[in-house]
Amino acid sequence: MVRSSFVLSLLASAGGFLSSEAKKLPEAKHLSGSYVVEFDDSQDASDFFKSIGSKAQTRMSFDSSIFKGVSIQFHDTETAEQEAAALAELASVKRVWPNRIYDLPKDNVVWTGKSKDASVANAVVKRQSSNDTFSPHLMTQVNKLRAKGVIGKGIKIGVIDTGIDYTHPALGGCFGPGCLVSYGYDIVGDDYDGFNTPVPDDDPYDGCAGHGSHVSGIIAAQANEYGFTGAAPGVTLGMYRVFGCTGSAANDVLIEAYLRAFKDGSNIITASIGGPSGWSEDPWAVVVSRIVDAGVPCTVSAGNEGAMGLFYASTASNGKRVTSVASIDNWVTPILLIDSFFSIDGAANETFGYVVGDPSGWAGVKLPLWTPNFDISDPAAGCSPYPADTPDLSDKIVLIRRGTCTFVEKATNAANAGAKYVLFYNNVPAGALGPSVSEVTAIKAVGMTTATQGEAWVKALAAGSEVVLDMVDPETAPVSLITADNTLTGGSASTFTTWNPTYEMDIKPQIASPGGNILSTYPQTLGSYAVISGTSMACPLVAGIYALIADVRGTFDPATLEALIASTANPRLYNAGSGTANVKAAVAQVGAGLVQAYDAAYATTLLSKSYLAFNDTDHLQKTLKFSVKNLGKSAVTYKLGSVGAATGYTFSDSIYPDQFPGLEVSDEYASIKLSSSSITVRPGASADVSVTVTPPKLDGARLPVYSGYITLNGTNGENLSLPYNGVVGSLHKTRVLDTGYLAISSDANLNPVNGNASFVLSKNPAADVTLPVAVALMAFGSPRISIKLLQVNGNKTKNLGDIFESPYDYASRDAYPAAFDGRLADGSYVPAGEYKFSIEALHIFGDAKKAKEWDVTESAPFAIRYGK
Ligand SMILES: *[C@@H]1O[C@H](CO)[C@@H](O)[C@H](O)[C@H]1NC(C)=O
Ligand SMILES: *[C@@H]1O[C@H](CO)[C@@H](O)[C@H](O)[C@H]1NC(C)=O
Ligand SMILES: *[C@@H]1O[C@H](CO)[C@@H](O)[C@H](O)[C@H]1NC(C)=O
Ligand SMILES: *[C@@H]1O[C@H](CO)[C@@H](O)[C@H](O)[C@H]1NC(C)=O
Ligand SMILES: *[C@@H]1O[C@H](CO)[C@@H](O)[C@H](O)[C@H]1NC(C)=O
Ligand SMILES: *[C@@H]1O[C@H](CO)[C@@H](O)[C@H](O)[C@H]1NC(C)=O
Ligand SMILES: *[C@@H]1O[C@H](CO)[C@@H](O)[C@H](O)[C@H]1NC(C)=O
């Protein structure tokens, strides 16, 4: 029996008050009055049902070898915590969790087929070729497996998502046995938003949300007019719909989906869903881990919170043995450009493409180009005020290279010389973006064209030519989808991909795959095709690759598949968005590196692990072992070595982790000693290698996370690598609580109250009264937040223990508010009087029984009395 954490029902974003760092923290969300309950296998659950009686309604029942239990909704959300606490004490109940809510990752929809007219489709169509030339497949060797006819034939992949438009011709056109989408279920219905009651039916069709159709196409799209297919078009898909048209999905819905996908015989299960966590103890993560233990590999996207810096793991990807997938940018960037016309020296007009900005008053503008600077490599073109002899620019379009100073500064300099129209050209090869200069009131229209186009015009102007642009109304102009080589970030980690490790130093993500700028199928109602960026797109490609490898090797064993993709993956160079550095990307960002499907499918070397976690200084695993198994037909000698990857500093001058880009990385590597520099392994045999680490000597207070790869070069031609990471310093000593304070429940922003607040509470839980709220602002994750009540008596205080809504387990970096209605954890009401909150957060790996292992802040005092 574990006394569990309880929901903090009053959850508001603490807007106006928070520091700039804390402001970026997302809201934690739970379904008020709803719990997920796990039953003890060995006990009869009748005491549980007797106990809830008519007080709660069962939302879902889980009766699986993986998880037995229910999710329930108390009718009275005010008393729900008390009731749930009582349930946790029952013999039949193993654990009670608040029913958490998850969002779809904030993927960036770059383009959909609904945008503008049909020329988009024409622009992108490639000749159908018998060879796979789709860039995400070229990047991951999927094309090489496809060339051998490997398509994942007959393998069942369960997808947990928003549903699917199976009527889409490229998604099979039908649902049911014999169709591409041959099984699945709608657990929620169109109208489900995460907070209302799911209305299930047996049809997982989605014509409104789109995400699941995109994800499914990445796995298994059939040949289509856009010239691509999914990675494994021979699989059959099961779709479990957990999102309605908009909104979120609750824990119980996700658990139900996984249990169904497992029961229906899925060989692989994938989900591009998550929420900030860093702990593997969330019930959804627990269920996914158990399904992996039962032999079904599960891939989950690592999350799109790269900006949050190190230690921001997302659940359920942070579950033990779950394959967490990071995102790599596509080699090519599809870009949507608005077409317009230009002519040089009065010649026949030609078409060019640009991205419109703000303001956008281009309609009917027909003016010659003028540029302040003929140097097409000037990093700061147009950043200085124009010289006094500059002509009046009111009848020109000013062409300026992007870079160094802001668009607004450049537009201001042009406007000071009379300009009304400004067209930027890009300073990087990939695409263009829409600049905003709306505060420069003299400017009527702005936009950006590609580097290639801008440079060509500047050369013409430098040669004395006249270039006249004839601008079509951007509202009605045709658009084209072009693809440009992404030489800047193609093949590098996407800036949005979430950084790890977990708060318990587990290595995540495991692997990376293309997720930035991915073309796939979309519901026909939403345009049929779309380009989207996110780890949501990276994850299903790895699920498809698992199917291809399983097709070749005849095994679904999760540990084997993960070890194969990890050892054969290609580590990446570090890229903070502005070009690659001469250091490998941190394992905490890209895991083993870019997945290489062909090498994984045919490798005859199998490592016993997919990573080595050295932990922190306090728990340093100085020496770790792995074994090398030779599955080939002749003896192989492996040359062993190691290579460092970027060390990332978690903190600089704040107790909040640094944001990315901006967090400091360095090439201060750990030193690695191997048990031997070369091993020879006979066919069918295994050999052990031990790896001894000496972490770099760095400032432990900044929690530098070091990483790298053990390398094995075999005489069989296989070059393998095994990722490792660890941290210098003590997670246990790291401060986790920024501060705690008193707020008032009627203030949606939960601003701190420093004066003498006084509250009139009610012992009737249904009464609508204003409550004192304890707010814990977390700078780092904590295994437990506890809100104690201190009775103030003159200069003395007496600690009365946890308030009713406390404690809260496995907190991420977030603001955690807990309202106080006069009750303590045991449900008893305290007398009227003066009190303070003691807001306490346990350190990572802390011993809850030791006072010094908690960060503690006392709130301002407040008075309570009871009204009617
Ligand atoms: C397909 O790939 C093979 C091997 O790389 C090559 O020889 C052949 O020319 C390609 N065919 C087409 C149509 O591109
Ligand atoms: C360029 O051609 C288009 C379509 O043929 C026409 O609408 C437009 O007026 C032309 N512009 C110029 C500058 O000739
Ligand atoms: C690191 O050490 C702590 C404390 O022993 C342990 O709980 C945790 O699981 C370890 N992490 C890993 C990845 O081994
Ligand atoms: C192993 O091969 C890689 C290239 O794949 C090379 O960079 C590395 O130096 C080799 N290691 C050893 C120990 O030969
Ligand atoms: C493996 O590494 C060796 C040594 O650097 C290199 O010669 C060989 O081409 C590599 N093989 C592969 C398949 O990358
Ligand atoms: C709270 O009230 C006490 C007594 O009325 C007073 O002495 C004290 O200054 C007040 N504190 C604040 C912060 O207003
Ligand atoms: C409370 O503390 C103040 C300052 O330390 C002291 O002057 C006062 O006598 C104390 N009051 C009581 C009731 O102990």
Side-chain angles (χ1 to χ4, degrees):
M1 277 291 313
V2 183
R3 172 91 204 293
S4 168
S5 59
F6 296 102
V7 67
L8 306 185
S9 47
L10 197 149
L11 292 161
S13 72
F17 149 78
L18 295 176
S19 72
S20 61
E21 287 154 314
K23 233 183 229 164
K24 297 187 181 96
L25 300 177
E27 242 172 89
K29 288 195 286 185
H30 295 89
L31 200 53
S32 180
S34 180
Y35 296 85
V36 176
V37 179
E38 182 173 19
F39 295 150
D40 192 322
D41 278 359
S42 61
Q43 302 276 334
D44 173 11
S46 56
D47 67 337
F48 170 81
F49 289 104
K50 212 170 121 204
S51 169
I52 63 166
S54 57
K55 286 179 283 193
Q57 181 184 335
T58 301
R59 277 168 57 98
M60 291 180 188
S61 294
F62 312 119
D63 184 18
S64 155
S65 54
I66 300 291
F67 191 92
K68 286 193 175 50
V70 287
S71 64
I72 53 172
Q73 173 69 55
F74 284 104
H75 302 303
D76 184 348
T77 54
E78 297 287 335
T79 58
E81 286 93 354
Q82 185 177 3
E83 301 288 354
L87 292 180
E89 304 300 327
L90 295 173
S92 61
V93 173
K94 212 154 140 187
R95 246 199 107 153
V96 179
W97 290 273
N99 202 356
R100 188 178 169 176
I101 302 286
Y102 296 90
D103 294 327
L104 275 175
K106 287 172 208 82
D107 301 316
N108 177 23
V109 178
V110 180
W111 169 84
T112 77
K114 216 174 184 179
S115 325
K116 306 285 181 165
D117 70 354
S119 68
V120 173
N122 297 335
V124 82
V125 168
K126 289 197 190 110
R127 291 275 156 271
Q128 294 282 338
S129 137
S130 51
N131 287 355
D132 183 353
T133 56
F134 190 42
S135 63
H137 294 179
L138 301 180
M139 294 172 73
T140 56
Q141 299 182 332
V142 164
N143 64 316
K144 288 176 74 179
L145 285 170
R146 297 291 299 283
K148 291 189 82 135
V150 180
I151 54 171
K153 196 157 184 52
I155 290 170
K156 293 173 77 174
I157 301 188
V159 183
I160 319 286
D161 213 294
T162 63
I164 182 169
D165 177 8
Y166 50 73
T167 68
H168 193 302
L171 293 172
C174 58
F175 175 58
C179 297
L180 176 65
V181 187
S182 68
Y183 66 110
Y185 195 70
D186 179 356
I187 291 153
V188 295
D190 273 7
D191 297 335
Y192 178 65
D193 62 8
F195 295 92
N196 52 5
T197 306
V199 181
D201 65 67
D202 51 20
D203 180 356
Y205 174 79
D206 169 29
C208 56
H211 189 269
S213 298
H214 199 266
V215 160
S216 300
I218 290 168
I219 301 171
Q222 307 294 298
N224 55 65
E225 68 268 33
Y226 279 63
F228 71 96
T229 66
V235 302
T236 174
L237 295 175
M239 171 55 73
Y240 297 86
R241 187 182 189 208
V242 294
F243 289 90
C245 290
T246 57
S248 312
N251 246 330
D252 57 353
V253 163
L254 291 163
I255 292 170
E256 169 77 0
Y258 267 87
L259 295 178
R260 278 182 179 268
F262 177 71
K263 184 170 123 252
D264 293 346
S266 302
N267 301 114
I268 296 160
I269 302 175
T270 190
S272 293
I273 306 168
S277 171
W279 304 95
S280 45
E281 289 83 357
D282 171 89
W284 173 34
V286 166
V287 165
V288 182
S289 296
R290 289 183 195 165
I291 289 177
V292 177
D293 291 343
V296 176
C298 292
T299 50
V300 179
S301 51
N304 297 345
E305 309 287 349
M308 296 298 288
L310 283 149
F311 289 100
Y312 205 67
S314 162
T315 191
S317 73
N318 58 198
K320 301 246 181 247
R321 297 170 297 284
V322 174
T323 302
S324 170
V325 184
S327 173
I328 298 283
D329 279 352
N330 200 339
W331 282 343
V332 299
T333 306
I335 322 153
L336 190 68
L337 296 178
I338 292 177
D339 290 345
S340 231
F341 301 106
F342 72 97
S343 75
I344 297 184
D345 294 332
N349 80 33
E350 299 175 62
T351 303
F352 75 98
Y354 74 106
V355 178
V356 74
D358 180 21
S360 60
W362 284 114
V365 174
K366 185 176 179 184
L367 291 172
L369 279 180
W370 181 90
T371 185
N373 188 330
F374 293 139
D375 179 356
I376 56 170
S377 61
D378 182 353
C383 286
S384 313
Y386 295 179
D389 61 353
T390 301
D392 174 24
L393 299 178
S394 59
D395 57 354
K396 306 269 193 286
I397 296 171
V398 181
L399 179 68
I400 314 171
R401 188 168 191 257
R402 179 185 178 190
T404 305
C405 60
T406 63
F407 295 131
V408 167
E409 288 171 74
K410 295 191 185 206
T412 303
N413 289 335
N416 287 342
K420 289 184 256 172
Y421 303 98
V422 172
L423 190 65
F424 293 98
Y425 66 99
N426 214 342
N427 58 351
V428 292
L433 52 79
S436 173
V437 300
S438 52
E439 62 214 83
V440 191
T441 49
I443 299 294
K444 294 190 171 142
V446 67
M448 187 187 293
T449 189
T450 61
T452 324
Q453 183 63 69
E455 288 166 9
W457 283 338
V458 172
K459 281 180 191 152
L461 294 172
S465 290
E466 189 187 46
V467 181
V468 176
L469 304 195
D470 185 358
M471 304 299 284
V472 183
D473 182 353
E475 285 301 311
T476 54
V479 289
S480 29
L481 184 67
I482 62 162
T483 56
D485 289 345
N486 178 0
T487 52
L488 187 68
T489 64
S492 298
S494 306
T495 49
F496 57 75
T497 201
T498 291
W499 290 64
N500 281 261
T502 72
Y503 290 122
E504 295 160 304
M505 284 312 291
D506 205 10
I507 295 193
K508 300 277 168 183
Q510 269 57 57
I511 196 81
S513 120
N517 288 308
I518 305 300
L519 173 67
S520 184
T521 44
Y522 218 42
Q524 294 166 99
T525 50
L526 301 175
S528 297
Y529 295 90
V531 174
I532 310 185
S533 286
T535 52
S536 288
M537 287 64 238
C539 176
L541 183 55
V542 172
I545 287 171
Y546 268 176
L548 298 178
I549 300 170
D551 195 355
V552 171
R553 303 185 76 103
T555 178
F556 290 102
D557 178 57
T560 302
L561 292 179
E562 194 179 277
L564 287 167
I565 58 164
S567 66
T568 54
N570 283 342
R572 305 278 85 198
L573 287 178
Y574 181 66
N575 187 332
S578 48
T580 48
N582 193 21
V583 51
K584 290 194 158 48
V587 169
Q589 190 190 25
V590 300
L594 180 59
V595 63
Q596 297 294 294
Y598 184 91
D599 292 347
Y602 292 104
T604 58
T605 308
L606 179 62
L607 307 186
S608 61
K609 294 191 175 161
S610 46
Y611 58 78
L612 301 174
F614 290 121
N615 222 323
D616 68 353
T617 303
D618 294 342
H619 308 100
L620 181 65
Q621 304 291 297
K622 183 101 181 119
T623 300
L624 291 171
K625 278 195 176 129
F626 67 97
S627 67
V628 184
K629 186 163 193 189
N630 177 4
L631 305 171
K633 293 196 171 67
S634 46
V636 178
T637 298
Y638 298 92
K639 248 206 263 174
L640 305 179
S642 74
V643 52
T647 293
Y649 286 88
T650 307
F651 301 110
S652 53
D653 51 5
S654 156
I655 59 168
Y656 284 89
D658 286 349
Q659 307 260 319
F660 170 79
L663 70 84
E664 183 183 342
V665 301
S666 79
D667 59 359
E668 297 147 304
Y669 306 133
S671 82
I672 296 287
K673 204 168 142 266
L674 300 162
S675 49
S676 52
S677 59
S678 139
I679 49 169
T680 300
V681 189
R682 281 176 295 109
S686 291
D688 283 349
V689 176
S690 45
V691 181
T692 302
V693 69
T694 304
K697 291 193 175 37
L698 300 172
D699 178 7
R702 297 184 59 194
L703 286 188
V705 179
Y706 62 88
S707 61
Y709 300 88
I710 310 300
T711 58
L712 299 92
N713 292 7
T715 48
N716 60 352
E718 289 176 9
N719 294 333
L720 305 175
S721 55
L722 179 66
Y724 64 80
N725 85 192
V727 68
V728 179
S730 169
L731 283 170
H732 179 224
K733 289 200 184 108
T734 301
R735 186 180 171 91
V736 294
L737 179 68
D738 173 354
T739 187
Y741 63 87
L742 172 70
I744 298 183
S745 64
S746 54
D747 173 9
N749 290 328
L750 291 176
N751 287 314
V753 176
N754 291 317
N756 288 323
S758 132
F759 299 85
V760 182
L761 307 181
S762 170
K763 289 188 183 176
N764 170 8
D768 184 17
V769 293
T770 299
L771 304 176
V773 178
V775 179
L777 271 190
M778 303 304 299
F780 213 50
S782 166
R784 174 162 289 192
I785 297 173
S786 173
I787 311 295
K788 303 276 204 294
L789 191 68
L790 305 180
Q791 191 165 36
V792 181
N793 198 344
N795 285 0
K796 294 201 194 101
T797 59
K798 184 178 169 200
N799 191 329
L800 302 183
D802 281 276
I803 65 163
F804 193 63
E805 287 202 350
S806 175
Y808 182 91
D809 285 353
Y810 299 116
S812 176
R813 291 189 243 148
D814 220 325
Y816 288 86
F820 175 60
D821 66 356
R823 283 178 300 164
L824 296 173
D826 65 3
S828 64
Y829 283 91
V830 298
E834 199 186 350
Y835 297 93
K836 286 183 193 174
F837 293 123
S838 176
I839 295 152
E840 311 182 356
L842 183 61
H843 282 197
I844 295 167
F845 303 140
D847 178 349
K849 293 192 195 78
K850 294 190 182 146
K852 67 175 188 342
E853 314 229 325
W854 296 79
D855 290 337
V856 179
T857 310
E858 279 184 21
S859 75
F862 59 94
I864 62 163
R865 62 192 169 84
Y866 295 92
K868 295 231 169 71

